[in-house]
Amino acid sequence: MLLLVGLGNPGRDYAGHRHNIGFMAVDAIARACDAGPWRKKFQGDMAEARLGTERAILLKPQTYMNESGRSVTEAARFHKIELGQIFVFHDELDLAPGKMRVKLGGGDAGHNGLRSITAHMGPNYRRIRLGIGHPGDKARVHSYVLGDFAKAEQGWVEALCDAMARNIALLAKGDDSHFQSKVHLVMEAAGFGAVAPVGKGPA
């Protein structure tokens, strides 16, 4: 059994925020895999899915970002899911928009959702880092992350979530590098190989 966690904040006011791309990713996976209905469980929204040959729980914690670890811990303990079988999808300021990287363990880089999960469970879970780019000024980070994706960004956001969803069986069977390269090739083919952050011109 695997646990795929999308990080975000609950409620309509937050739905379109860059900080909520983790929710968007898990929603896309649920659609692509014909997951069961979303139910309220483990202090979150939970659905069951099959990813290739693997059974998985999809989870969107509804505790607000900085308490995400409570929901993840509850789900993992109930289903006896080991830390190495937990995959956390989250926004990443230090990656260019539309880029994706898979990483096992590490620090939280100031991300409150990761910090909460690590505090509850330790750091050795997989992180699927979804690049949203950096606004270029540290003083603008808060409003940038907690702001909606601009209309001009919707194309790459949807393409990235769809590419991950269509190739999720690779991640589920532990083929991180193949998953990463397949998603990269899909984004290149869709014309999203190099996306500039909003408010910045091309590099």
Side-chain angles (χ1 to χ4, degrees):
M1 177 77 81
L2 307 177
L3 177 58
L4 274 64
V5 180
L7 294 185
N9 285 308
R12 189 176 301 171
D13 291 346
Y14 298 95
H17 284 189
R18 294 181 183 91
H19 216 22
N20 272 40
I21 193 171
F23 277 8
M24 298 171 197
V26 169
D27 280 336
I29 293 165
R31 290 192 296 270
C33 298
D34 289 327
W38 290 102
R39 292 180 285 146
K40 297 291 183 187
K41 200 169 183 181
F42 310 126
Q43 302 180 63
D45 290 342
M46 184 274 289
E48 296 182 41
R50 185 166 287 280
L51 314 178
T53 59
E54 302 289 341
R55 289 178 61 220
I57 296 295
L58 308 181
L59 180 67
K60 295 185 293 182
Q62 300 294 295
T63 53
Y64 288 98
M65 187 69 82
N66 61 359
E67 294 289 348
S68 299
R70 287 172 24 209
S71 175
V72 177
T73 302
E74 196 173 314
R77 283 180 178 163
F78 183 87
H79 287 286
K80 298 180 173 59
I81 299 171
E82 296 180 3
L83 200 54
Q85 300 301 102
I86 298 175
F87 301 79
V88 179
F89 294 76
H90 67 91
D91 57 303
E92 177 61 72
L93 282 162
D94 294 331
L95 278 180
K99 298 297 183 185
M100 183 274 292
R101 297 286 185 273
V102 182
K103 178 183 178 184
L104 174 61
D108 56 47
H111 194 290
N112 288 335
L114 298 181
R115 182 181 293 134
S116 177
I117 295 169
T118 297
H120 280 81
M121 306 189 71
N124 294 323
Y125 51 90
R126 278 184 174 79
R127 299 105 188 278
I128 294 79
R129 304 164 63 216
L130 310 176
I132 60 170
H134 196 287
D137 180 355
K138 193 173 181 180
R140 290 178 54 209
V141 164
H142 185 76
S143 60
Y144 177 77
V145 170
L146 293 179
D148 285 353
F149 280 111
K151 191 173 182 181
E153 297 176 285
Q154 295 296 333
W156 72 254
V157 173
E158 291 173 10
L160 178 60
C161 291
D162 181 63
M164 289 188 294
R166 286 192 284 119
N167 291 285
I168 196 65
L170 291 171
L171 187 70
K173 69 179 185 180
D175 197 347
D176 297 358
S177 60
H178 196 190
F179 172 71
Q180 195 168 277
S181 62
K182 286 280 282 187
V183 171
H184 173 75
L185 289 172
V186 170
M187 294 299 284
E188 289 252 311
F192 298 115
V195 183
V198 169
K200 281 188 172 183

